[in-house]
Every structure is written in structure tokens, then in C-alpha cells.
Amino acid sequence: MRPDLLSRVLSLLPEHGTRPEYQDYFDMLRDYPKRGGKGIRSELLLASARVHGVIKDSPAWEAALWLAAALELFQNWVLIHDDIEDDSEERRGKPALHRLHGIPLAINAGDALHAYMWAAVHKANVPGGMDEFLNMIHHTAKGQHLDLCWVEGRRWDLVEEDYLEMVRQKTAYYTVVIPLRLGALAAGVAPSEQFTPAGLALGAAFQIRDDVLNLEGDAAKYGKEIGGDLLEGKRTMIVLHWLRTAPGAQRQAFLKQMGLNRPDKDLQTIADIHRWLLESGSVAYAQDYAHAQAEEGLQLLSQTFENAPDQQAAGELLAAMRELATREA
């Protein structure tokens, strides 16, 4: 997250408590934002605003910055709750908030950051901004519900299209579609209808790439637990593709482990499954699909921006989106 955006986020959050308990609470609110993060979604929003003609240091840019701050606050409260729901160990290279303070206090901190998100949306005062945030939350929660239902039900009778429906809802809207739309609204422009199909394709590419990095990324750069998706029982395109052709013994070992809660999983067997996935052709298959989705989304965006007010900004946005879909961290 850019420093000026982080300072804007932190300006909304209380800092000094009159009781030790309040100080602990305020520190928890500021924890995830201060850990950094890549600021991918807020940068995309600001890039979209520039493409649509917003000039830095103008009133419209100020509004865009507040929307970007709201998007970062959304990301942080959702991650606190997501880490609890996924029983995650780490976030951005440190223990997840609930690992440090317990589940009830972490939930409460996430709820509070949700409220501060709306404070930032209010400060932006952009017509249509609140509706976009509501739409984003609805889609993200729907996708998260699918994901959690499959984990809770120990379901593996799924196909790749099930996975894609989940990531389009859970990831694509808040990662690409809504930031593009919010940038246009900050400029006082009606968002293009092409942002949705373009964003769904690029969002799928982004999530598949994230799934790949969870298996073979650099832990120091990735900021999350390598192999954590297996311990959490995450459904990914890689796993669903592998299950179609996995040898019987490997498939049986996998399903047995996925029927267990995280603390009960056998770490050696999980390591074996991790290796089987890397040795299979499923990672390359998922990478190829992600590449095709990225190209489709980029082509749609390129067409949409043909007559955009700021062509330099449009080129920079497209280059950033291409890098996002092929990133190493």
C-alpha cells in the first residue's frame, strides 16, 4: 500500500486508549493495515481513475483516494474474518490476528474495521460509491459461502467450473471488477459494461496464479504459508484437475487427509500430496488456463480503453494487470 494511502487509512482509526483494554483494541485495528500488503486493488482503482481523466491533486483525485482507502479497509476486515474461517496460521508473514489474540477479539476487530470502511466511503462522497461497495460485499460473501460449504461438507465431487464460479464471486469482483468501476465513478463517468467480463476473466487468472504460488512460491515474497491451501482443504483448479487422473492410492490418501480437520492432518502425507501435485501436469494446466483468461480480459480492457482520456494511464494499467496475472508473489 502506498504510504499516503496507509496514512489515510490509519487517520480513520483510533490510536490512543484511555484504558489498557482500549489500547489493545486500537492496536489490533491498526495491525493488519500496518503489515502492508501489496495494495493491488487500491492501485487498480486509482489507475482506473487516471484512465478516465482524473488528475492528481484534484478534488476528484481526493475522492478516489478515499475510495481506495475504503477498499483497503475492506480487504483488511475481510482477511481477519477469512483467516478465522480458514483456520489460517499466517498473514503477511506474521501470525494471523486470531492466533495472536483469540477468535472472539479478532472477529470484533474485523467488525470494527468494516464500520471504518463505510466511514471512508462516506468521506469520498462519490455518487454510486456505496452501491458498488454493497455489490462487492454481496459477491464476495457469496463466493466465500461456496468455498466454506465445500470445506465444511468435505466435498470433492466438484468440477473446474464449480471452482471458477467460486473464484469469480469471491475474488474477481473485489479484485478487478469493482476497482475498475469505482475509478470510473470517481471521474464522474458511467462504468463500462465490459468491466464485468474483463474483470471476471482477469480475477480468475489472478486467483489461479495465487493457487500456484501457494504450492511453489517463495514464502518470503508470498507472505502466506506455502502449502497452506492443502492444510486448509482448499478447492483449486490444480487439485480438481489432478483428482481426475490421480493414481488410486494417491487419490485415496488425499481424500483421507481432506476428511480431517487441520490439526489432525498428517504433515508427512500432506508433504507427499504437495509433491505429487508439483510433479503432475496439473500446475501447468492451471497456468495455461490462467494465461488464456488473462489474455481474454486484457483484450476486452484494451478495447474498452481505446478512447479513454488518458492513454498513457491506460497503457500503464494494462501492463500492471498483465504483471498481476503472472506475478511471482
Side-chain angles (χ1 to χ4, degrees):
M1 198 192 319
R2 58 173 64 198
D4 59 336
L5 200 55
L6 176 59
S7 64
R8 194 172 291 252
V9 167
L10 294 178
S11 74
L12 291 171
L13 305 179
E15 186 172 7
H16 301 295
T18 56
R19 300 174 58 106
E21 300 94 333
Y22 289 157
Q23 189 61 56
D24 289 343
Y25 165 58
F26 296 163
D27 290 344
M28 287 177 67
L29 295 182
R30 302 166 78 85
D31 187 332
Y32 272 25
K34 289 176 73 173
R35 292 188 189 191
K38 301 175 185 68
I40 290 167
R41 297 154 184 90
S42 55
E43 287 299 326
L44 180 55
L45 187 159
L46 294 173
S48 176
R50 288 179 54 225
V51 171
H52 289 92
V54 173
I55 299 171
K56 289 185 178 181
D57 299 323
S58 66
W61 183 251
E62 177 73 7
L65 284 170
W66 277 118
L67 287 178
L71 200 54
E72 287 296 332
L73 283 163
F74 168 82
Q75 168 81 345
N76 281 284
W77 75 255
V78 163
L79 288 179
I80 290 173
H81 289 178
D82 186 68
D83 287 344
I84 294 168
E85 291 160 353
D86 290 346
D87 197 24
S88 297
E89 292 287 343
E90 296 180 8
R91 174 62 60 183
R92 296 170 182 160
K94 298 179 181 180
L97 199 67
H98 68 284
R99 297 294 181 191
L100 295 172
H101 303 282
I103 290 174
L105 291 176
I107 291 175
N108 187 62
D111 291 344
L113 286 179
H114 186 169
Y116 286 110
M117 176 200 77
W118 289 117
V121 174
H122 177 72
K123 280 185 172 290
N125 195 30
V126 170
M130 181 171 288
D131 289 341
E132 293 297 329
F133 271 82
L134 286 169
N135 191 33
M136 175 175 66
I137 293 170
H138 290 324
H139 282 290
T140 306
K142 281 171 62 180
Q144 180 74 338
H145 179 79
L146 273 181
D147 196 7
L148 294 174
C149 276
W150 297 337
V151 173
E152 287 294 308
R154 306 290 200 266
R155 286 191 55 190
W156 291 97
D157 57 333
L158 304 168
V159 295
E160 292 159 26
E161 188 54 42
D162 294 317
Y163 165 84
L164 290 169
E165 169 65 15
M166 182 267 290
V167 299
R168 287 167 187 148
Q169 296 291 331
K170 179 178 175 177
T171 303
Y173 274 94
Y174 96 93
T175 300
V176 187
V177 177
I178 300 300
L180 288 171
R181 292 179 60 85
L182 286 169
L185 289 174
V189 176
S192 169
E193 293 302 318
Q194 292 301 308
F195 286 162
T196 298
L200 293 180
L202 286 162
F206 172 87
Q207 184 57 56
I208 293 168
R209 183 61 188 153
D210 192 72
D211 295 342
V212 171
L213 289 172
N214 193 272
L215 290 176
E216 63 177 24
D218 181 332
K221 295 179 181 178
Y222 185 53
K224 289 189 284 185
E225 188 179 14
I226 299 300
D229 285 353
L230 289 174
L231 288 167
E232 294 166 13
K234 288 291 186 180
R235 279 66 180 158
T236 67
M237 176 174 283
I238 299 163
V239 168
L240 294 176
H241 179 265
W242 173 75
L243 280 172
R244 292 200 322 231
T245 57
Q250 291 184 8
R251 179 184 174 87
Q252 185 177 4
F254 173 87
L255 293 176
K256 180 180 179 180
Q257 290 300 309
M258 294 305 117
L260 302 173
N261 292 325
R262 176 172 178 148
D264 301 322
K265 288 184 169 72
D266 180 74
L267 295 182
Q268 182 55 57
T269 306
I270 292 297
D272 290 340
I273 294 167
H274 192 162
R275 176 170 50 80
W276 297 337
L277 288 169
L278 292 176
E279 291 172 352
S280 74
S282 297
V283 172
Y285 172 85
Q287 293 264 51
D288 289 345
Y289 187 90
H291 177 75
Q293 286 285 284
E295 291 302 320
E296 178 183 329
L298 288 168
Q299 184 175 4
L300 285 169
L301 274 189
S302 182
Q303 293 168 356
T304 303
F305 292 153
E306 280 180 354
N307 298 312
D310 190 332
Q311 285 298 305
Q312 179 178 341
E316 291 171 359
L317 186 153
L318 291 169
M321 291 305 302
R322 183 176 296 280
E323 182 177 349
L324 180 63
T326 59
R327 71 197 194 286
E328 295 300 322

